[in-house]
Amino acid sequence: MNPFEALGGLWAAAEGLWGEWAYVGASYGLGVLILGGLIALYVGDAWRAAREAKRSTHSDGS
Amino acid sequence: MVSYLANPERFWRFSGPLMWIAGVTAMLSLIAGWGLGLAAAPDEAHQGDLARIMFIHVPSASLALTAYLAMAGASLFYYVWRHSLADELAKAMAPLGAGAGALTLATGMIWGYPTWGAWWVWDARLTSSLVLFLTYLGYMALRAAIDDERQAALAASILCMVGAVNWPIVKFSVDWWWSLHQPASNTLSGSAMDAVFFWPLLFSAVAFKAGFGALALMRVRAAIRRRRLARQQRVAAPALVEVEA
């Protein structure tokens, strides 16, 4: 069984178990992954910039 | 207003509170929108529970379009006035627009398979949305491919403005051509939706737009911080050389 067949089997099982909610769950699950990833990326970048600025201020002795 | 905010110090002071207001609005609206959409809204008469995908698909699609419009505006501003803040703003918006575009395509496919019987069709709306997503990726790839920051900004701003040609095609494709994709249910002249679906959708759309604004401002503020730091280091460097000498 190739990975696509395995994925298809998994999807069929999820659909059998939860019906339409499998599609709803997959949509929102992807949404949380993508939006969460973007939030982590941006917040992480802002945090790093703030830390660099703080470190520079301390090294100046100011 | 635009010229007032073109000053980085004024932009810094203005954007701080705005970023927090937008962030909190996004969180509260998302809780309301997804909470109402997933728990309180009833099954739709024809689509059943699948209609709940609308509360993530439509806000993402709307955001992918809005973000591109904002990016094209910032790119035009950069192209005309060469203002680095405009470029930083466009650069900050690109990954968010690409994320929204990816989510639009993915959730559309997940909804399309049980509804249309196909994950994908080469329909005008779907195809132009795919082109929009690829334009976002192209914008980011172009920036990453050019080492010189000014050249990268200029090339990316031109690409973004050229790519804006696709914007009305995405928006009006369902009106201009026969499309499997349904036309807009909510327009400036009113809504064809029942209130139980309209309000969760509105809250979700507000959440996505406000979150986009908060994150874009957050990244521009980080860029301003880094530029300040670089400037301080440039100023401090000759002084250090003098001390060492």
Side-chain angles (χ1 to χ4, degrees):
Chain A
M1 185 186 278
N2 69 40
F4 290 107
E5 280 175 344
L7 198 64
L10 203 67
W11 184 255
E15 200 186 345
L17 210 57
W18 296 301
E20 289 173 344
W21 277 97
Y23 293 91
V24 177
S27 296
Y28 284 83
L30 261 176
V32 169
L33 269 180
I34 293 176
L35 299 178
L38 282 169
I39 291 168
L41 193 75
Y42 277 59
V43 171
D45 181 58
W47 183 74
R48 273 196 306 276
R51 201 179 53 173
E52 284 162 22
K54 203 172 178 182
R55 195 181 291 159
S56 156
T57 310
H58 287 311
S59 66
D60 284 354
S62 51
Chain B
M1 183 70 176
V2 173
S3 59
Y4 175 81
L5 290 175
N7 178 306
E9 291 310 316
R10 280 200 289 257
F11 182 88
W12 179 266
R13 284 197 300 273
F14 180 82
S15 62
L18 193 65
M19 180 186 77
W20 282 106
I21 291 168
V24 171
T25 304
M27 267 198 302
L28 296 177
S29 302
L30 194 69
I31 292 168
W34 284 10
L36 285 172
L38 291 174
D43 294 1
E44 203 267 341
H46 300 289
Q47 297 177 32
D49 286 317
L50 288 173
R52 296 179 204 279
I53 295 175
M54 159 175 76
F55 306 121
I56 187 167
H57 174 73
V58 176
S60 328
S62 172
L63 177 59
L65 274 173
T66 309
Y68 200 88
L69 201 62
M71 228 171 96
S75 295
L76 178 68
F77 196 88
Y78 177 78
Y79 187 77
V80 175
W81 287 286
R82 296 289 197 276
H83 200 294
S84 59
L85 258 185
D87 176 55
E88 288 294 349
L89 204 54
K91 192 163 76 172
M93 289 170 183
L96 299 170
L103 196 54
T104 306
L105 294 171
T107 52
M109 287 164 76
I110 293 170
W111 177 84
Y113 182 68
T115 312
W116 294 341
W119 294 104
W120 182 264
V121 285
W122 291 102
D123 175 274
R125 170 57 73 84
L126 276 69
T127 308
S128 55
S129 298
L130 177 63
V131 171
L132 180 70
F133 172 62
L134 293 176
T135 312
Y136 276 121
L137 294 189
Y139 177 91
M140 291 190 289
L142 184 65
R143 287 203 81 104
I146 302 173
D147 287 333
D148 184 272
E149 207 174 306
R150 285 186 181 179
Q151 275 186 354
L154 183 62
S157 72
I158 293 170
L159 173 69
C160 184
M161 288 186 291
V162 172
V165 169
N166 186 43
W167 196 92
I169 300 176
V170 181
K171 173 84 179 146
F172 300 110
S173 53
V174 286
D175 304 318
W176 290 346
W177 297 290
W178 181 88
S179 175
L180 198 55
H181 194 286
Q182 68 191 64
S185 303
N186 301 302
T187 59
L188 289 175
S189 53
S191 174
M193 296 173 75
D194 192 273
V196 286
F197 296 110
F198 175 78
W199 286 106
L201 186 60
L202 184 69
F203 279 126
S204 304
V206 168
F208 274 54
K209 301 266 168 54
F212 163 75
L215 290 176
L217 288 177
M218 191 183 282
R219 180 151 275 194
V220 175
R221 286 169 63 83
I224 292 174
R225 245 190 186 134
R226 289 203 171 95
R227 277 169 192 255
R228 271 185 194 160
L229 194 61
R231 199 172 53 231
Q232 279 170 7
Q233 283 166 351
R234 272 201 304 275
V235 170
L240 279 175
V241 171
E242 278 173 27
V243 169
E244 282 171 10

